[in-house]
Amino acid sequence: MKKNILIIGAGGVAQVVAHKCAQHNDILGSIAIASRGISKCQEIAASVREKNAFKVPAEIACFELDALNIEATKSIIKETEAQIVINVGSAFLNMSVLQACIETGAAYLDTAIHEEPHKICETPPWYNNYEWQRRELCEANRITAILGVGFDPGVVNAYAAVAVNGYLDQTNSIDIIDINAGSHGRYFATNFDPEINFREFTGEVWSWQNSQWTSNQMFEIKRTDDLPVVGQQTSYMTGHDEIHSLSQNLNVPNIRFWMGFGEHYINVFTVLNNLGLLSEQPVTTAEGLEVIPLKVVKAVLPDPSSLAPDYTGKTCIGTLAKGKKDGKDKEVFIYNVADHKEAYQEVGSQGISYTAGVPPVAAAILVAQGTWDVQKMVNVEQLDPKPFLNLLNQMGLPNRIKDENGDRALSF
Amino acid sequence: MKKNILIIGAGGVAQVVAHKCAQHNDILGSIAIASRGISKCQEIAASVREKNAFKVPAEIACFELDALNIEATKSIIKETEAQIVINVGSAFLNMSVLQACIETGAAYLDTAIHEEPHKICETPPWYNNYEWQRRELCEANRITAILGVGFDPGVVNAYAAVAVNGYLDQTNSIDIIDINAGSHGRYFATNFDPEINFREFTGEVWSWQNSQWTSNQMFEIKRTDDLPVVGQQTSYMTGHDEIHSLSQNLNVPNIRFWMGFGEHYINVFTVLNNLGLLSEQPVTTAEGLEVIPLKVVKAVLPDPSSLAPDYTGKTCIGTLAKGKKDGKDKEVFIYNVADHKEAYQEVGSQGISYTAGVPPVAAAILVAQGTWDVQKMVNVEQLDPKPFLNLLNQMGLPNRIKDENGDRALSF
């Protein structure tokens, strides 16, 4: 039984995490939020207060923190008596925050794989380069560390586990499909941190095919699906976190990730990328100033959290698994549809932040209750998916399943 | 009679100026070149030496200079005994270099209107805001200052004067058309300093119509012409330097500038402009670094002078004048066609730099010989165009004329 939450980060996902923690603070205990800029923490705290989100009366404590500073992070963990840290800050912070958790005994939850500022799309399996190097240390210190427990990675990993273990005798392929059919009304914007968003697409596209790592270029391979609610959608094979763990943890020969992009997004991305403006490597201006182009692109783009008030439409994210059941071919699509406007009305964030922010809070509840307090480092597909998916059904992310028996709610 | 040349700037146009000065150093005397980076000056000096461009044996002296520093510029003018300064550095330098010339008695030649870093496309006539405020001072000090004596502005102004004074009794419209039908083989590049290039298109488009200043948006108005050599070409109404002087110096009610753009250029420009990446106003990155986006775009784009070796195709730039002659409608197109590869073979630069760099050297020769040493500040249309155009015929930029009597060489 663990309690008291420290949220690292103060972007759109952190806003959702704070609201959802507040809605469940009878189980989770106190809530604190720490970020590089304390004013963004205070805005989130004010938003939670404004919506009367607390189940039992409380306040959110705010801290200014450079989370690359392990000692500073440990101090805040100790001061807040946090036993669960939800890291939804930049992916550059993972290894530092994890270390602070290991040294203080706190459980660690994040939603994305660790990245180093000057490296893009590293050699697979990427987790081997960073988080998994701390597996033995976590086990020795009985540290619960749940990696990648957002929606994708996260919920889609649980969907994969359900498909492989519950619906198929033998699984040949897992295709994770992420479609945002919403509209933010701006000329161009990314739905989460532009820096992390673009970094996903500027390197090689790694996929797991025929039980081997396969490399392609971005926008080289696409597919079109007729999906529930959002209809006909084109998506492109993309490198993504969950391939790096599912390929190691499930015995499935083909695991791919597909993300939906409109032609306008692809055009803007292609122009910026071809010009070198998405580079993470510094350039020098004629005046002698050293600048990382990608950080300037981030600076001119809308803050993803600012998109929420005008966002309309829906997302559809799910896991399509194909294989054999009772000797016959079978395919099953397990998915969630989220609505941007409903997310904004509930927690003041758009749907992409909502789908990413609710799952780590569900995971925190399971850690708090002991169900998922596994006292070692795991990826989501290594945990029992049932209590997690049941909790998501109640927390605003209903799960559905579609196979030869129809399209229906999924609960256990 | 003036002699000894100081070239300010060391980009692609400066390279052409240096080569052409060397080819005529029997008339022009000694040649020096000064720029922020001395290595670029030295590269130009080496290129001139390599091509044996000097008419009489000589060397080019190189200087490191921040030409915003008037005293430093005066020192170099005095040290080199330069009586003619050809300013082909950044447009931000004009007023400083002009002041250094006024204080030392040197003649001043440039090829573009003065700009201030944080202002874009200023109120017309733009020259009123800067250079023309020194007209009386030049006249009092008997300073020869010839503004905008590149190709456009410059040669096209002379073409306009020829059309208005030599071919038409009454001129109703002057349309300057600038087409680059060449290909550099890169994904995207500008043909001269990207910063100055983009700044031309990010503000209002000023034109002179019905004897009034008229404002439009970039890419709002286009035309298609069937032009000599380059054929069918689409061009877009663009704000440009020469409109700001021709409108004041010639009694013509409609004066417009048109620049040819391909769809790819327009797409890249539109993406960058809509995202705010062409802004001259600083933004602050998440890390707190203050950066001007346009300077980062400049830093990632190819150096225009690097395009020269692979550049193929031709440019066609000219002045289309329409009006009445002997009571009948008449139109006349006076133009030049230049070839990128020929320019590279002769002076190591591409055709755009060539067309911009040859005219100021022709003007310098006319100043050196006394023909254009007018000892006041003028724009090109205020000078006798005939010796200038005759000299250009000999210096690699042959003039042609097309009207109801056919398409033929133009000389006087």
mmCIF file of all heavy atoms in Angstrom, chain A residues 36 68 105 274 340:
data_model
loop_
_atom_site.group_PDB
_atom_site.id
_atom_site.type_symbol
_atom_site.label_atom_id
_atom_site.label_comp_id
_atom_site.label_asym_id
_atom_site.label_seq_id
_atom_site.Cartn_x
_atom_site.Cartn_y
_atom_site.Cartn_z
ATOM 1 N N ARG A 36 9.920 22.720 -14.294
ATOM 2 C CA ARG A 36 10.925 23.762 -14.477
ATOM 3 C C ARG A 36 10.335 25.147 -14.194
ATOM 4 O O ARG A 36 10.984 26.001 -13.625
ATOM 5 C CB ARG A 36 11.438 23.693 -15.915
ATOM 6 C CG ARG A 36 12.703 24.439 -16.174
ATOM 7 C CD ARG A 36 13.357 23.946 -17.448
ATOM 8 N NE ARG A 36 12.382 23.779 -18.535
ATOM 9 C CZ ARG A 36 12.649 23.201 -19.701
ATOM 10 N NH1 ARG A 36 13.857 22.750 -19.952
ATOM 11 N NH2 ARG A 36 11.719 23.086 -20.638
ATOM 12 N N LEU A 68 16.453 17.085 -13.859
ATOM 13 C CA LEU A 68 17.738 16.454 -14.177
ATOM 14 C C LEU A 68 18.611 16.416 -12.917
ATOM 15 O O LEU A 68 19.576 15.660 -12.845
ATOM 16 C CB LEU A 68 18.461 17.234 -15.283
ATOM 17 C CG LEU A 68 17.829 17.132 -16.681
ATOM 18 C CD1 LEU A 68 18.506 18.103 -17.651
ATOM 19 C CD2 LEU A 68 17.926 15.701 -17.223
ATOM 20 N N GLY A 105 12.982 5.012 -2.649
ATOM 21 C CA GLY A 105 12.011 3.931 -2.465
ATOM 22 C C GLY A 105 10.648 4.198 -3.090
ATOM 23 O O GLY A 105 9.738 3.375 -2.965
ATOM 24 N N ASN A 274 13.231 18.462 -44.495
ATOM 25 C CA ASN A 274 14.178 18.587 -45.611
ATOM 26 C C ASN A 274 15.069 19.813 -45.463
ATOM 27 O O ASN A 274 16.216 19.804 -45.909
ATOM 28 C CB ASN A 274 13.435 18.650 -46.946
ATOM 29 C CG ASN A 274 13.010 17.282 -47.422
ATOM 30 O OD1 ASN A 274 13.594 16.278 -47.036
ATOM 31 N ND2 ASN A 274 11.995 17.228 -48.246
ATOM 32 N N HIS A 340 -12.428 14.977 -27.967
ATOM 33 C CA HIS A 340 -11.642 16.147 -27.540
ATOM 34 C C HIS A 340 -12.450 17.101 -26.660
ATOM 35 O O HIS A 340 -11.984 17.577 -25.645
ATOM 36 C CB HIS A 340 -11.116 16.896 -28.768
ATOM 37 C CG HIS A 340 -10.014 16.179 -29.483
ATOM 38 N ND1 HIS A 340 -8.750 16.049 -28.956
ATOM 39 C CD2 HIS A 340 -9.988 15.536 -30.675
ATOM 40 C CE1 HIS A 340 -7.986 15.379 -29.816
ATOM 41 N NE2 HIS A 340 -8.718 15.043 -30.860
#
